Amino acid sequence: MSFTSSPMHDGVKATDFIDILTADPQWLGHLLALAKNLKAAHRARQQNTAGAGRVLAMIFEKPSLRTRVSFDAAMTHIGGSAIYISPSEIGLGSRESVPDIARVLSGMCDAIMARTFAHQTIIDLARHASIPVINGLSDNSHPCQAMADVLTVQEEFGALEGRTIAYIGDGNNVARSLLEACAVFKMNFAIATPDAYRLPERDFQAVKALYPIECLITNDPRQALQHADAIYTDTWISMGQEAEKAARLPIFRPYQINADLLSNAPKHAIVLHCLPAYRGVEITDDVMDGPQSRVFQQAHNRLHFQKALLAEIFSPA
Ligand code: CP
Ligand code: NVA
């Protein structure tokens, strides 16, 4: 299927996957359907050769469990392989410039997945690489996560249109990609954050300029989850924010997903968390391990969405 990036990131290629909002919505819908099929095929142990002989370079400036393992496993499942490149050995922007790294990898590998601090690093990799570049999380966004989240909601409820995702906690990279995914898939988005940790107004404006979306923005978690079909949280201290931990914890405490807060939500609502979870901090054990939790299904869906993305990237146009 052909697809395009929007001009929002000037100079990136149509095959780059940098943000939900810059991807073709039809392509995203196609990837979601393909992920569902590939998940069924995986369970049936069917062979897949979409990435035979292909190599994925995986650049990490930050730690990872899910992203690293799911991309590596996905490449193996489609007949290719992945190379993990740690922050210390590559020296992104210090040992070697980002454009030079992009140029070198373009002659040795077939795609790059990067997890970075600055979002601009991913855009610069995409601009200077002749091979597709995938955002595996930046300080700005986490689009592969949001697509796995949408797949999880779809598995639970079927049709996505009109469903409501209520995000409770920090207005961060995960929240931003989730907002964008809700817009693309015609879901409503409710978000409760402390006032000082809201997603900036420009994020809502950017989404609303492209899609009609109902957003509820509040500092009251009870209000946000009143009509929720899925309740979502993430760490209050993202990678790179460790020095803010002492200041953040008391501010975010009222936003913990616990049984008391959950009692205000519709009974059918599921609970999501991108993981890693800090149990007893942003989410309690009883909720995380309780009947409404879908957090491990959600984590497993990273594999299936990313396999769809890689299979598409490697398929002939
Ligand atoms: N959710 C997620 O991206 O997990 P990792 O940081 O372990 O990759
Ligand atoms: N917001 C978190 C997500 C981890 C998957 C972080 O950036 O650390």
Side-chain angles (χ1 to χ4, degrees):
M1 181 172 180
S2 65
F3 49 90
T4 53
S5 289
S6 89
M8 199 178 287
H9 295 320
D10 204 16
V12 308
K13 303 173 295 303
T15 47
D16 297 320
F17 185 59
I18 295 184
D19 274 312
I20 302 269
L21 215 54
T22 54
D24 182 332
Q26 273 190 302
W27 183 53
L28 293 174
H30 171 70
L31 288 175
L32 201 58
L34 183 58
K36 189 178 164 190
N37 291 341
L38 288 175
K39 185 168 180 175
H42 177 66
R43 289 189 165 161
R45 295 274 162 217
Q46 285 169 10
Q47 294 290 317
N48 186 312
T49 55
R54 305 297 189 117
V55 177
L56 175 71
M58 305 195 297
I59 299 174
F60 281 92
E61 283 192 306
K62 296 171 175 173
S64 169
L65 172 67
R66 279 144 291 272
T67 303
R68 177 178 177 178
V69 174
S70 56
F71 269 106
D72 198 335
M75 284 302 294
T76 302
H77 291 175
I78 61 173
S81 60
I83 300 173
Y84 170 76
I85 306 166
S86 74
S88 56
E89 61 194 322
I90 191 168
L92 203 70
S94 55
R95 182 172 184 268
E96 195 159 4
S97 76
V98 172
D100 283 355
I101 289 170
R103 290 177 189 119
V104 170
L105 291 176
S106 295
M108 298 178 174
C109 299
D110 299 281
I112 299 169
M113 188 282 297
R115 165 166 288 194
T116 63
F117 288 98
H119 191 65
Q120 189 61 41
T121 304
I122 292 178
I123 295 171
D124 289 345
L125 280 170
R127 283 187 179 144
H128 295 280
S130 58
I131 55 177
V133 172
I134 300 168
N135 178 356
L137 180 147
S138 70
D139 284 349
N140 194 63
S141 52
H142 199 1
C144 292
Q145 179 68 56
M147 289 300 293
D149 303 339
V150 171
L151 178 60
T152 312
V153 174
Q154 189 182 55
E155 286 173 338
E156 187 71 27
F157 299 111
L160 293 166
E161 188 166 351
R163 293 287 173 189
T164 298
I165 297 187
Y167 178 96
I168 315 290
D170 186 20
N172 61 12
N173 45 6
V174 167
R176 182 173 292 106
S177 290
L178 207 56
L179 161 66
E180 295 179 5
C182 283
V184 169
F185 291 101
K186 300 186 170 62
M187 290 188 280
N188 310 314
F189 185 66
I191 182 165
T193 66
D195 287 333
Y197 296 91
R198 287 187 171 200
L199 278 177
E201 180 55 30
R202 66 172 179 275
D203 290 320
F204 295 98
Q205 283 168 5
V207 159
K208 285 179 177 175
L210 294 173
Y211 299 98
I213 179 173
E214 291 282 332
C215 293
L216 170 68
I217 306 163
T218 176
N219 59 12
D220 178 359
R222 282 176 172 71
Q223 188 191 2
L225 51 72
Q226 253 174 358
H227 304 294
D229 297 297
I231 298 157
Y232 200 118
T233 192
D234 180 18
T235 181
W236 298 335
I237 299 123
S238 284
M239 292 178 275
Q241 297 174 335
E242 291 77 8
E244 298 174 36
K245 185 173 178 180
R248 281 175 170 254
L249 284 181
I251 296 170
F252 280 96
R253 199 145 289 139
Y255 296 83
Q256 184 188 66
I257 308 294
N258 54 35
D260 178 44
L261 186 61
L262 209 55
S263 69
N264 297 279
K267 295 286 166 275
H268 71 267
I270 58 170
V271 174
L272 301 175
H273 190 312
C274 59
L275 305 181
Y278 297 90
R279 287 169 175 261
V281 183
E282 74 272 6
I283 189 165
T284 53
D285 280 336
D286 56 333
V287 173
M288 177 113 169
D289 301 326
Q292 288 167 272
S293 173
R294 299 291 180 275
V295 300
F296 296 109
Q297 175 186 335
Q298 176 190 6
H300 301 160
N301 281 339
R302 293 289 304 280
L303 169 69
H304 306 297
F305 170 70
Q306 288 154 202
K307 198 190 292 182
L309 177 62
L310 293 164
E312 272 294 306
I313 281 174
F314 296 138
S315 72

